[in-house]
């Protein structure tokens, strides 16, 4: 179905259409630095069309459809998605450079997410509120309306799944604007929505530039909510742009996750998790444990293991199943990562592995960077405070629980954290004190459809996944009905 799919049309109101005020441009393969396909980009007029289609679908069939019917369509979509995992993984890998073994592993889980959200579509019940015999009071859960979803370039399909799944289950309609650097897989996703039989206008996909299409979507008075994954600075702009319409917002933003290794941990298992996390997605994930906090008795051992394991990472063409790590997703991110490596050197951290762009003949055209390790990192260094979004691990020593917690909480972020210890009491004590939306103990990056995910502090608003994911796509209405029909005359005497 997707093997010969073309990306040079927008998906609006159930139809494939040419952009009105956007255009078609080449999408860059980050593994080669060259154009690999032509992709449609929408402009302001295209966003207007998509919002109008979403509004008509919301006011028409979708909101009025019984929950069990929406659930059936979502399940049909999930089953269709499961047949296209390999094709979707290839498209996403070619568009953003993620190693195909990672893309397939991630995308292979998505059908279960869609089945999970389908299971919630007919369970949006309110509650009865006890008062007295004179009234019957109850609440109802209603869809927010038209949702604008803006997804990132690192995991386009995962972000779309996490947002569209609960939005559609709740009865909302959607305009999806993927990141301009990686639009292809979202257009492929639209083909599956069409094939699964969603009514026209329920899902619309309009790639476009952030300052034009994205900003117009945020400011549009016909959009009731924005769901955004990306940088905190962009989220602040979105808040300001959308303020005039008082729409609702949910944000999944950045992170600088601490990965804490206590001396009593199973060090080999901790190293498996910590090194895997540091370089997965070429470091381009807000949940990666980019700060490795290590108790001093095992610090040198962990640093040596990181140096050795960095040399074992197979960096290469991302469509090769043997590749562990592909390139950075675009040239600007490559430049950012290399600039932070220079910052780490200037700050006095000890560069023990990597630190350079890879310029071997077979990879010279792409945006490849070596797995990089800094030791002797102080908690106040920029490489320990700021999100790099590259394969750069900063290893920080600590002494005891108090210092570990202080360092872990010592950034503006609070998305995720991990810790390794054989002491059950310590596990509970430390996990309870970490300021993060999700804490993993003796494991890392275990994320599933039923586990809420989101951030404290500057890492976001709201939660994705789990039952909690529905909350930001629903309104609560209170209804109070008199059982007597009587209302006293206030002017009787």
């Amino acid at each position: 179905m997707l093997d010969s799919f073309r990306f040079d049309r927008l998906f609006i109101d159930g139809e494939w259409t040419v952009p009105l005020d956007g255009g078609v441009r080449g999408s860059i393969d980050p593994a080669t630095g060259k154009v690999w396909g032509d992709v449609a980009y929408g402009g302001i007029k295209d966003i207007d069309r998509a919002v109008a289609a979403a509004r008509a679908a919301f006011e028409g069939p979708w909101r009025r459809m019984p929950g069990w019917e929406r659930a059936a369509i979502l399940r049909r979509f999930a089953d269709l998605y499961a047949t296209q995992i390999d094709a979707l993984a290839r498209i996403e890998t070619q568009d953003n450079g993620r190693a195909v073994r990672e893309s397939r592993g991630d995308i292979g889980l998505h059908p279960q997410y869609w089945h999970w959200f389908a299971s919630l579509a007919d369970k949006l019940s309110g509650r009865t509120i006890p008062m007295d015999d004179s009234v019957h009071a109850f609440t109802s859960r209603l869809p927010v309306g038209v949702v604008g979803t803006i997804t990132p370039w690192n995991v386009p399909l995962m972000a779309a799944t996490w947002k569209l799944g609960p939005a559609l289950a709740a009865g909302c309609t959607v305009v999806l604007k993927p990141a301009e650097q990686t639009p292809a897989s979202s257009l492929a996703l639209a083909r599956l929505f069409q094939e699964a039989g969603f009514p026209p206008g329920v899902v619309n996909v309009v790639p476009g530039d952030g300052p034009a299409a994205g900003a117009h979507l945020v400011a549009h008075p016909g959009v009731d909510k924005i769901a955004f994954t990306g940088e905190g600075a962009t989220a602040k702009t979105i808040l300001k742009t959308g303020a005039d319409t008082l729409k609702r917002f949910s944000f999944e933003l950045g992170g600088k996750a601490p990965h804490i290794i206590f001396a009593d941990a199973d060090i080999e298992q901790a190293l498996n998790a910590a090194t895997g996390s540091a370089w997965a997605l070429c470091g381009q994930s807000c949940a990666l444990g980019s700060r490795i906090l290590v108790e001093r008795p095992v610090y040198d051992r962990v640093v040596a293991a990181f140096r050795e394991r960095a040399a074992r990472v197979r960096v290469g063409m991302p469509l090769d199943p043997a590749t562990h790590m592909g390139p950075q997703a675009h040239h600007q991110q490559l430049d950012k990562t290399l600039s932070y490596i220079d910052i780490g050197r200037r700050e006095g951290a000890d560069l023990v592995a990597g630190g350079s762009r890879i310029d071997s003949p077979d990879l010279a055209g792409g945006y490849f960077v070596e797995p990089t390790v800094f030791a002797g990192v102080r908690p106040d260094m920029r490489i320990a405070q700021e999100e790099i979004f590259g394969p750069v691990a900063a290893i920080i020593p600590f002494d005891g629980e108090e210092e570990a917690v202080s360092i872990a909480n010592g950034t503006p972020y609070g998305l995720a954290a991990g810790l390794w210890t054989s002491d059950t009491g310590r596990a509970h004590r430390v996990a309870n004190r970490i300021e993060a939306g999700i804490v993993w103990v003796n494991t890392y990056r275990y994320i599933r459809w039923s586990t809420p995910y989101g951030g404290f502090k500057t890492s976001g608003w709201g939660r994705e996944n789990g039952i909690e994911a529905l909350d930001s796509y629903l309104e609560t209405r209170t209804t109070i009905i008199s059982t007597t029909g009587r209302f006293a005359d206030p002017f009787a005497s």
Side-chain angles (χ1 to χ4, degrees):
M1 178 189 302
L2 297 177
D3 289 338
S4 58
F5 182 75
R6 293 178 57 183
F7 306 97
D8 57 354
R9 296 289 188 273
L10 308 175
F11 186 68
I12 299 174
D13 203 17
E15 301 289 339
W16 294 98
T17 178
V18 297
L20 289 181
D21 59 345
V24 176
R25 69 178 75 157
S27 184
I28 301 296
D29 181 346
T32 64
K34 299 178 180 178
V35 171
W36 74 276
D38 293 327
V39 179
Y41 285 76
I44 290 174
K45 293 180 181 178
D46 300 304
I47 291 294
D48 285 340
R49 284 195 295 161
V51 172
R55 176 60 60 187
F58 178 70
E59 300 294 348
W62 193 244
R63 178 171 61 169
R64 300 173 186 172
M65 185 179 291
W68 61 267
E69 289 189 15
R70 287 201 306 273
I73 297 176
L74 285 164
R75 290 190 183 99
R76 187 159 64 242
F77 175 83
D79 290 338
L80 182 63
Y81 198 115
T83 70
Q84 300 299 310
I85 289 168
D86 287 337
L88 289 168
R90 286 195 301 273
I91 292 168
E92 186 149 298
T93 286
Q94 192 145 25
D95 213 24
N96 77 350
R98 185 179 183 184
V100 73
R101 64 195 290 169
E102 284 188 348
S103 296
R104 199 191 185 288
D106 173 16
I107 292 168
L109 292 175
H110 294 178
Q112 188 58 54
Y113 281 87
W114 287 100
H115 278 296
W116 162 257
F117 291 120
S119 74
L120 302 179
D122 59 357
K123 299 176 181 64
L124 308 180
S125 57
R127 62 189 181 93
T128 300
I129 303 173
M131 295 296 293
D132 56 55
D133 290 343
S134 68
V135 297
H136 174 57
F138 62 93
T139 63
S140 306
R141 307 301 303 280
L142 307 170
V144 164
V146 175
V147 177
T149 60
I150 302 175
T151 52
W153 45 259
N154 61 332
V155 283
L157 285 175
M158 185 184 80
T161 293
W162 287 16
K163 289 172 170 54
L164 270 65
L168 296 172
C172 298
T173 56
V174 176
V175 177
L176 167 60
K177 193 209 82 68
E180 54 264 39
Q181 299 93 341
T182 57
S185 58
S186 296
L187 289 166
L189 192 66
R191 177 71 182 89
L192 302 187
F193 282 116
Q194 183 183 39
E195 185 70 17
F198 281 81
V202 171
V203 178
N204 308 272
V205 180
V206 184
D209 294 322
H216 191 60
L217 181 64
V218 170
H220 203 296
V223 174
D224 302 293
K225 171 185 162 57
I226 294 292
F228 171 75
T229 295
E231 293 184 354
T234 306
K236 292 176 184 178
T237 300
I238 287 173
L239 280 173
K240 295 172 184 177
T241 303
D244 287 343
T245 54
L246 286 178
K247 52 174 55 74
R248 288 142 187 80
F249 299 94
S250 58
F251 295 126
E252 199 274 277
L253 306 176
K256 194 68 177 178
H259 203 153
I260 306 168
I261 302 175
F262 286 97
D264 65 355
D266 184 327
I267 301 300
E268 286 304 307
Q269 298 304 312
L271 283 167
N272 290 342
T275 55
S277 170
W279 301 314
L281 285 82
C282 198
Q284 298 168 132
S285 170
C286 48
L288 296 190
S290 55
R291 291 186 297 152
I292 300 89
L293 282 53
V294 185
E295 202 164 18
R296 286 191 190 275
V298 294
Y299 186 80
D300 290 343
R301 175 182 171 184
V302 169
V303 170
F306 261 80
R307 179 191 295 111
E308 184 270 331
R309 293 189 184 207
R312 287 163 41 191
V313 177
R314 291 193 296 270
V315 181
M317 298 303 284
L319 286 172
D320 182 349
T323 292
H324 291 143
M325 192 178 87
Q328 302 270 255
H330 51 87
H331 199 285
Q332 294 89 340
Q333 183 55 46
L334 173 68
D335 289 345
K336 179 183 176 183
T337 297
L338 294 176
S339 73
Y340 269 99
I341 292 172
D342 287 341
I343 288 168
R345 288 191 179 101
R346 293 197 302 270
E347 288 182 316
D350 181 15
L351 181 65
V352 299
S356 300
R357 181 176 183 176
I358 298 175
D359 58 2
S360 59
D362 55 332
L363 303 179
Y367 310 141
F368 295 91
V369 63
E370 295 173 323
T372 298
V373 182
F374 280 103
V377 177
R378 298 189 313 273
D380 62 342
M381 288 181 174
R382 289 182 63 187
I383 60 170
Q385 286 287 319
E386 300 172 14
E387 188 174 43
I388 299 172
F389 235 54
V392 181
I395 310 181
I396 304 169
F398 71 86
D399 293 296
E401 288 182 26
E402 288 298 322
E403 187 176 17
V405 171
S406 176
I407 295 172
N409 292 338
T411 76
Y413 299 106
L415 182 60
L419 66 99
W420 290 79
T421 178
S422 61
D423 184 332
T424 302
R426 168 181 281 165
H428 284 280
R429 287 193 305 271
V430 174
N432 190 52
R433 295 178 63 192
I434 291 178
E435 297 167 350
I438 189 166
V439 180
W440 295 290
V441 178
N442 293 338
T443 186
Y444 203 82
R445 292 184 68 228
Y446 184 92
I447 302 170
R448 294 295 184 271
W449 41 90
S450 55
T451 56
Y453 182 87
F456 289 12
K457 301 191 287 188
T458 64
S459 286
W461 292 359
R463 292 295 179 268
E464 297 184 302
N465 301 332
I467 296 172
E468 290 81 355
L470 289 172
D471 289 343
S472 67
Y473 298 99
L474 293 169
E475 296 277 22
T476 298
R477 179 172 62 204
T478 301
T479 303
I480 300 174
I481 300 176
S482 171
T483 60
T484 66
R486 297 178 180 178
F487 198 98
D489 181 356
F491 310 111
S493 61

